[in-house]
Amino acid sequence: MTLMTDAPATARESVYRPRHPLDLGRTVGMLRRGGTDPTMVIEGHRIWMAFRTDAGVATLCLRQGSEGVRASAWGPGAAEALDAVPRLCGSDDDDAGFDVSMHPRLEEVARRHPGIRMARTDRVFDALACAIIEQKVTGMQAFGAWRYLVSRFGERAPGPVPRPMFASPSHEVWQRIPSWQWHRAAVEPPQSRTIVSAARRGASIERAALAAADGRDRDRVLTSLHGVGVWTSAETRIRSLGDPDAVSVGDYHLAHEVGFALTGHRTDDDGMLELLAPWAGHRQRIIRLIWASGSREPRRGARLAPEDHRNR
């Protein structure tokens, strides 16, 4: 059953006809933070998103068909949401010079999945806050914390959403979240302090990151914040700016997976960077192809046991 909010259900609509192959699920769907993400729902062939725009909160629904990507949007930010659809679907993604012919297996994956593009949301602070929450915890813990905080402090999404959805909090609201609510969300004090501190500079951070000329300059902007390192910066740039070269150095699994996919053996961060060096400028594309290939290093050891700081 479709859920209705109190907002008017009249939708604005448009159709985006990409000039390149597009796999909507592998391009936009990767932005979802777990199956219970309150800002994003994948319902069959439809992708629902809730977010803030300069004009207000918007709900956006995307569905790919033979005519292109049909977009419907609700709420005060609907017009801006529709304007963002091409970038969200990778229209600004320039893959000139990307060549995987030196690696036959990746070449085959690229042939089978020509529609993987780099999505760009331009919502830098949303991506930054989410990445900070994901620091040093399992995905399950991070997704649960994101759901808890956004559902309680975000703004309800307008339109006929398939389940209650919320746009993430504004910079001002992030700053006002009480300490006990961070505790209930299982977000540790260093991460909550980093988000609150970054929120005080939220608008200027977004302007500087969006104005930066390249990934290196964006990295410099983001890592200037206390508590934000190269992993958090890379995760932010991937989600919000569609950075085709960002690599999440320091990730718990990534180096092992890249090493196994490219050589059959796990490696460390230095080894991963050496393996990816031939594709400088497009290293995130290689990582996307590795995920699309289904190649995964066999798990031999015990799973990482989540630590809940609330039990200390």
Side-chain angles (χ1 to χ4, degrees):
M1 178 181 295
T2 297
L3 297 172
M4 301 295 293
T5 70
D6 293 333
T10 303
R12 290 176 177 250
E13 296 187 341
S14 68
V15 177
Y16 168 58
R17 298 176 175 84
R19 294 183 300 233
H20 49 73
L22 174 64
D23 183 329
L24 187 66
R26 294 186 184 276
T27 298
V28 179
M30 60 77 58
L31 298 170
R32 185 176 65 162
R33 312 319 297 166
T36 58
D37 186 348
T39 69
M40 186 170 181
V41 173
I42 299 178
E43 179 201 33
H45 298 293
R46 291 179 170 84
I47 296 178
W48 295 81
M49 307 177 74
F51 50 87
R52 294 180 178 278
T53 73
D54 290 340
V57 172
T59 298
L60 178 67
C61 178
L62 303 176
R63 178 174 56 84
Q64 189 168 18
S66 58
E67 76 281 16
V69 177
R70 184 168 294 279
S72 302
W74 295 261
E80 290 189 26
L82 294 180
D83 288 343
V85 169
R87 296 189 303 280
L88 193 60
C89 293
S91 65
D92 290 351
D93 184 17
D94 182 4
D95 61 359
F98 182 53
D99 182 8
V100 289
S101 60
M102 67 184 78
H103 197 289
R105 186 176 181 190
L106 286 182
E107 186 177 31
E108 172 61 18
V109 176
R111 186 191 65 78
R112 289 189 286 109
H113 300 283
I116 298 175
R117 310 290 297 180
M118 299 299 298
R120 176 173 180 143
T121 69
D122 290 318
R123 299 190 296 277
V124 176
F125 190 83
D126 283 1
L128 176 62
C130 192
I132 293 170
I133 289 172
E134 292 178 356
Q135 292 175 349
K136 301 178 182 179
V137 296
T138 66
M140 179 179 66
Q141 290 172 295
F143 299 158
W146 176 252
R147 180 181 68 251
Y148 181 93
L149 293 166
V150 172
S151 297
R152 281 160 179 76
F153 299 101
E155 189 168 342
R156 186 70 177 263
V161 292
R163 71 178 189 223
M165 294 180 66
F166 299 83
S168 63
S170 65
H171 305 151
E172 294 75 19
V173 172
W174 281 115
Q175 295 176 54
R176 297 197 300 266
I177 295 176
S179 60
W180 62 87
Q181 292 286 14
W182 292 105
H183 182 78
R184 287 176 180 172
V187 176
E188 296 206 32
Q191 280 69 50
S192 63
R193 287 194 296 267
T194 297
I195 293 177
V196 171
S197 176
R200 296 191 184 106
R201 299 170 53 192
S204 61
I205 291 167
E206 290 191 324
R207 285 195 299 269
L210 290 169
D214 54 28
R216 182 172 297 180
D217 286 345
R218 295 165 186 159
D219 199 45
R220 189 177 299 115
V221 169
L222 293 168
T223 57
S224 70
L225 300 166
H226 180 73
V228 175
V230 293
W231 182 90
T232 305
S233 172
E235 290 290 304
T236 302
R237 290 184 284 130
I238 291 166
R239 297 176 193 168
S240 64
L241 300 169
D243 192 325
D245 195 48
V247 181
S248 302
V249 174
D251 191 87
Y252 189 76
H253 296 294
L254 183 61
H256 300 163
E257 299 290 1
V258 170
F260 181 79
L262 297 182
T263 69
H265 305 282
R266 66 163 49 193
T267 188
D268 57 13
D269 282 333
D270 289 339
M272 172 179 68
L273 293 176
E274 184 176 349
L275 288 171
L276 294 175
W279 296 285
H282 299 280
R283 294 176 298 176
Q284 181 56 211
R285 295 190 203 281
I286 295 297
I287 293 169
R288 291 291 179 82
L289 289 179
I290 289 172
W291 295 138
S293 74
S295 173
R296 296 291 183 273
E297 181 193 25
R299 298 284 190 254
R300 297 184 179 87
R303 289 180 177 272
L304 178 67
E307 181 182 1
D308 191 336
H309 76 93
R310 294 172 296 184
N311 295 327
R312 294 175 185 169

